[in-house]
Amino acid sequence: MDVWRYTQSGFNEQDAVTNGNRFLVGNGFMGYRGTMDEWGREQLAAVCLAGVYDQNGGKWREPVNAPNGLFAELTLHGKPVALGRTEPSEHSQTVDFRRGTHSRDTRFPGVRIQSERFASMARPHLLMSRLAITFYEGGDAELKTGVVTDIWDINGPHLFGHTFNDGRVLMCESRTGELGIPVAVAQAADCGFGCGEKRKITDTGVYRFIRFRAEAGKTYYVTLASAVFTGMDDPDPGESALSLCEKALAEGYESCLKAHEAVWDGIWQDCAVELRGDDSAALALNASLYHLNSIAPRHAESLSIPARGLSGQTYKGAVFWDSEIFLFPVFVHTQPELAKTLLRYRIDTLPGALRKADEYGFRGAFYAWESQEGGVEGCTDYNVTDVFTHRPVRTYFRDKQIHISGDIAYAFWRYYEITGDLSLLKQGGAEVILQCARFYLSRTHLRADTGKAELLDVIGPDEYHERVNNSAFTNQMAAHCMENALALGDVFAEHDPDFVGSLIKKLDFEQDMELIRALLPKLRPTFPEGGLVEQFDGYFKLEDCTLEEVRGRVLDEREYWGTNHGVAAHTQIIKQADVIALAALFPALFSDETVERNWRYYEPRTEHGSSLSACMYALTACRFGRPDLAWEHFIKTASIDLAGGGKHWAGEIYIGGTHPAANGGAWMIAALGFAGLEIRGGELTLRPCLPKQIQSLRFPVTLRGKRIRVTVTHDGFSVEDA
Ligand code: IFM
């Protein structure tokens, strides 16, 4: 089995949407869905841009899809040849993880269409494809290609005022509706067989029509280069798009592909995990790392990754806690520069978090639950639509999921702990921690009778239980954030003794420091040895029924299980790892026995309705030496995008796409769970817990700037310079 390529043979129209995710190519600047060359809006063909958002009227704000410059449709004997409309005799679609390419090979009556495409890792604004069209019979043929503006949008349209140029390089320049951001897409074509072409502007784009008399048995090659620039990354997007297309075409497909593959080569050297013993698992793990690296913002200094990557506008293209808790670990251990890029996004969006806290009457930084550019909160008060009444349902993710600030502060601290690098804290991370601590200070209630500090009316990671009191996870995150605010002084004491003092002064934080010091012991939760941790006050009093019982109460498979009248809300059935996520993130607070006791309690009560759930259970099962219990969760996590799994609906809202958090989770299970890797204070420790299905794991990690390779087998482990 080739663990670096995933191929699907045969064509099933029902798979078109999922395949758009499975076969995506991307480079962090944009994602190109895994659709056919000749497909359009209906099959959700899309070029998804990172970090460019737009709102159309009162609809949800979401990222902008660019016009499609790789569109290509063949007409033979006057009839279009298109998958879905023309019955193929054979069809296959492949994504090559190592090379970062997508290819298709389709035999239609009379003609075979093969194509390959990539989103250049070497030049983030460039998409290229090469078509090879082989005719079994001669005839009049025409290839229609160009820049298509009739594109998939969920809450669009987002691009207006298209101006086209039908010169040798086709061009479409538009502006977004809300902020007027220019978006330019150009396309150049090299038609190797020296044919003539006509160009035309229509109401769906600008096209070239390449007419030729096809000879039987002959293959015709066409190379397309498309460049995408926006006003956010270039002062003259149109000019840059034009010149990049020309340059790419002059260099040629092979040469551009080589440069692209060389970058992928480097990426794999940094992070590939060689898993021996189970090829399907190895393939799934490669797929996970492929998807994650395809959307990592290598082109930017400060940008994070949306919850559905660059696979579409689902979840409003927003950045969630997924970034800090599920994606950050793989990057900080393998490509720390990327971890920094993700966290710089939080430094730069601090003003948005300060505004949000203020909006709710609090101080400090309350980060957006669904963060868009500049920290704009994308989460609405009505985030789900009821499947029965079709009415919007008041959800509280935006206002009550306050653990988000602590999650972000946690990642800043982990960055420092793992890398020993103080620069990120100095460049704004310390301020983020202080402002998050200040937020919790203003959000905490102090009980007059018990003297205990409480965080009331919150939502923890388990979103099926809204507006609960003292979520163990949330209280611990808040306490950890406060602890780190207090610890900053010590951390900088040796290398930059004045830094924290001046920051405290700048933020007028002296009094808050004292308040935090006094509050912390009253807020910090305690977890008795061997005891069950109650997810929130009163959780154990909720109806204790089985998952199957709750499933049995569901009337519509799309209905949402949370909110007031959701089927899970009044039961102990939870959506995703919550107490177990707490145990995974704070290993020092729980003995192995305590983890096991809680795992055995919560796992059967967890629906795993979020793709963020299974990996936390797998990680913690390794803690108490049960890789057999971890295995199923590992497979589920790692193969989520290949299997097309995960939930596709929350109420009536489509939530499908790729699953970066699970992709990151798969790496975490392999490296931090099965290999038991831990880096702290410049020291690396391993506590392997290999499942029987795996013979060995071998992977690189970066330790204080040096790449080393870890090998773990059932007989032991070794660490060497890589
Ligand atoms: O961040 C998650 C959340 O925990 C569960 N719902 C989906 C979000 C995005 O992945």
Side-chain angles (χ1 to χ4, degrees):
M1 181 180 195
D2 183 348
V3 300
W4 286 100
R5 283 159 64 87
Y6 175 74
T7 296
Q8 198 184 75
S9 298
F11 174 62
N12 178 353
E13 203 157 1
Q14 312 300 323
D15 275 345
V17 171
T18 314
N19 281 350
N21 306 322
R22 277 189 190 115
F23 294 96
L24 179 125
V25 291
N27 59 16
F29 173 77
M30 60 189 156
Y32 192 103
R33 286 176 58 78
T35 48
M36 296 297 107
D37 311 276
E38 63 273 21
W39 283 1
R41 171 202 286 277
E42 265 173 47
Q43 298 87 0
L44 314 192
V47 183
C48 311
L49 299 182
V52 186
Y53 295 88
D54 182 67
Q55 183 170 30
N56 182 333
K59 293 190 256 181
W60 282 359
R61 221 166 168 268
E62 64 186 12
V64 171
N65 286 338
N68 177 11
L70 291 187
F71 170 81
E73 182 188 64
L74 181 78
T75 302
L76 184 59
H77 310 310
K79 279 200 194 132
V81 182
L83 198 64
R85 280 184 284 158
T86 317
E87 191 65 34
S89 56
E90 271 177 51
H91 170 70
S92 68
Q93 195 174 357
T94 299
V95 54
D96 186 319
F97 305 132
R98 196 179 272 293
R99 299 168 58 233
T101 57
H102 166 272
S103 56
R104 60 90 65 95
D105 184 354
T106 317
R107 287 169 195 258
F108 293 107
V111 65
R112 174 181 185 183
I113 299 180
Q114 290 164 286
S115 73
E116 181 183 78
R117 79 168 72 106
F118 63 93
S120 175
M121 274 290 179
R123 288 169 170 157
H125 299 272
L126 180 67
L127 294 165
M128 281 192 101
S129 75
R130 183 175 49 186
L131 290 112
I133 309 170
T134 308
F135 293 87
Y136 305 127
E137 54 191 58
D140 286 331
E142 182 181 76
L143 186 72
K144 177 183 176 186
T145 177
V147 182
V148 180
T149 53
D150 183 29
I151 49 171
W152 176 43
D153 272 322
I154 297 182
N155 293 293
H158 296 296
L159 293 175
F160 300 91
H162 307 304
T163 56
F164 298 107
N165 188 328
D166 60 358
R168 218 165 36 84
V169 175
L170 304 181
M171 172 73 72
C172 168
E173 292 185 80
S174 334
R175 277 184 187 269
T176 60
E178 183 193 3
L179 301 172
I181 301 165
V183 175
V185 180
Q187 191 224 53
D190 180 11
C191 169
F193 43 96
C195 49
E197 66 176 37
K198 280 203 177 124
R199 299 179 208 120
K200 202 169 154 189
I201 294 166
T202 75
D203 53 358
T204 62
V206 52
Y207 299 95
R208 62 180 94 236
F209 297 85
I210 304 167
R211 274 213 186 126
F212 56 107
R213 175 95 199 141
E215 275 177 47
K218 195 168 161 187
T219 301
Y220 295 79
Y221 295 93
V222 178
T223 296
L224 301 177
S226 174
V228 183
F229 282 82
T230 81
M232 287 179 71
D233 41 78
D234 196 278
D236 190 347
E239 186 48 42
S240 300
L242 188 120
S243 84
L244 178 55
C245 274
E246 280 180 332
K247 215 187 263 170
L249 221 54
E251 254 175 51
Y253 184 85
E254 283 305 331
S255 154
C256 293
L257 178 62
K258 235 184 184 165
H260 162 75
E261 287 175 350
V263 180
W264 267 109
D265 242 25
I267 293 171
W268 288 118
Q269 277 177 35
D270 285 338
C271 70
V273 179
E274 189 185 312
L275 182 160
R276 294 216 166 163
D278 187 317
D279 281 353
S280 309
L283 177 83
L285 191 50
N286 287 340
S288 301
L289 287 169
Y290 163 77
H291 276 292
L292 205 50
N293 280 291
S294 298
I295 53 173
R298 291 189 167 73
H299 63 288
E301 290 254 298
S302 159
L303 192 62
S304 197
I305 298 178
R308 288 290 174 269
L310 300 178
S311 64
Q313 293 153 321
T314 303
Y315 278 133
K316 309 170 194 117
V319 175
F320 289 65
W321 70 311
D322 307 29
S323 285
E324 283 69 29
I325 303 300
F326 298 83
L327 311 186
F328 164 82
V330 51
F331 292 131
V332 74
H333 285 96
T334 64
Q335 302 160 81
E337 269 314 309
L338 278 172
K340 265 182 147 170
T341 303
L342 300 193
L343 291 185
R344 275 197 214 103
Y345 168 80
R346 297 302 193 175
I347 294 174
D348 292 346
T349 53
L350 179 62
L354 297 174
R355 274 196 303 276
K356 180 174 167 184
D358 187 53
E359 185 194 321
Y360 284 101
F362 301 112
R363 297 166 62 234
F366 181 11
Y367 274 90
W369 179 242
E370 300 185 12
S371 182
Q372 299 182 333
E373 89 282 36
V376 165
E377 174 64 273
C379 191
T380 64
D381 285 343
Y382 296 86
N383 233 23
V384 170
T385 307
D386 183 66
V387 291
F388 304 110
T389 61
H390 310 293
R391 290 189 182 128
V393 179
R394 176 66 163 104
T395 46
Y396 292 87
F397 312 125
R398 184 189 207 273
D399 26 1
K400 308 293 177 191
Q401 211 150 163
I402 62 166
H403 65 84
I404 179 70
S405 291
D407 305 333
I408 291 166
Y410 174 92
F412 274 102
W413 198 257
R414 287 297 286 147
Y415 177 85
Y416 156 67
E417 280 184 325
I418 292 167
T419 63
D421 173 12
L422 284 172
S423 68
L424 205 58
L425 287 178
K426 189 136 188 224
Q427 289 154 16
E431 186 165 342
V432 167
I433 293 175
L434 290 177
Q435 291 289 18
C436 291
R438 177 178 263 169
F439 165 64
Y440 288 123
L441 191 61
S442 69
R443 181 61 169 74
T444 306
H445 289 81
L446 203 49
R447 270 182 72 148
D449 54 353
T450 61
K452 273 198 69 178
E454 305 194 300
L455 282 167
L456 306 177
D457 200 8
V458 305
I459 304 181
D462 160 33
E463 294 176 332
Y464 286 165
H465 295 89
E466 298 193 352
R467 313 197 66 173
V468 302
N469 296 335
N470 295 315
S471 135
F473 182 98
T474 308
N475 285 19
Q476 173 56 32
M477 268 299 172
H480 183 66
C481 174
M482 290 185 182
E483 257 156 28
N484 293 336
L486 296 176
L488 281 170
D490 289 344
V491 163
F492 279 93
E494 193 183 329
H495 297 292
D496 201 343
D498 298 334
F499 170 68
V500 177
S502 4
L503 183 61
I504 286 177
K505 216 172 194 163
K506 180 183 121 187
L507 301 180
D508 200 8
F509 212 88
E510 291 89 345
Q511 201 197 347
D512 286 342
M513 251 344 180
E514 288 319 307
L515 291 173
I516 288 173
R517 218 182 296 283
L519 184 73
L520 185 55
K522 300 178 181 138
L523 178 69
R524 190 191 283 123
T526 47
F527 305 110
E529 172 55 28
L532 269 186
V533 177
E534 188 167 36
Q535 190 174 291
F536 51 80
D537 289 353
Y539 169 84
F540 289 137
K541 293 201 195 99
L542 296 176
E543 182 189 350
D544 193 13
C545 51
T546 66
L547 190 52
E548 284 327 303
E549 279 173 274
V550 169
R551 268 212 182 98
R553 297 172 191 170
V554 168
L555 302 175
D556 181 317
E557 58 170 332
R558 289 183 184 187
E559 78 180 74
Y560 185 62
W561 288 25
T563 73
N564 259 344
H565 64 276
V567 286
H570 303 282
T571 75
Q572 289 189 32
I573 296 304
I574 63 174
K575 178 180 181 184
Q576 64 200 89
D578 188 306
V579 166
I580 290 305
L582 168 68
L585 297 178
F586 295 95
L589 297 183
F590 303 91
S591 69
D592 297 354
E593 292 69 31
T594 311
V595 174
E596 178 163 10
R597 169 124 201 258
N598 281 277
W599 199 101
R600 290 191 183 281
Y601 189 83
Y602 282 105
E603 204 285 330
R605 291 168 176 80
T606 306
E607 186 218 0
H608 299 296
S610 159
S611 59
L612 280 55
S613 187
C615 78
M616 290 296 179
Y617 279 94
L619 272 175
T620 41
C622 294
R623 258 300 289 286
F624 57 90
R626 290 295 303 269
D628 53 319
L629 295 177
W631 183 251
E632 183 199 332
H633 293 298
F634 170 61
I635 294 298
K636 185 174 169 184
T637 301
S639 49
I640 188 161
D641 289 327
L642 287 186
K647 275 202 174 167
H648 291 260
W649 299 95
E652 285 183 346
I653 312 288
Y654 176 66
I655 55 169
T658 57
H659 297 82
N663 301 158
W667 181 90
M668 283 202 275
I669 302 167
L672 312 182
F674 296 153
L677 171 83
E678 192 179 347
I679 296 178
R680 214 174 275 266
E683 303 261 304
L684 179 151
T685 53
L686 293 161
R687 192 188 176 206
C689 183
L690 274 191
K692 67 174 189 303
Q693 292 86 346
I694 297 181
Q695 284 162 11
S696 65
L697 280 175
R698 205 168 134 78
F699 57 91
V701 288
T702 300
L703 183 61
R704 303 272 150 119
K706 200 167 146 204
R707 185 160 356 106
I708 56 171
R709 195 168 304 279
V710 171
T711 306
V712 176
T713 67
H714 286 277
D715 300 324
F717 56 80
S718 63
V719 175
E720 65 202 327
D721 288 351

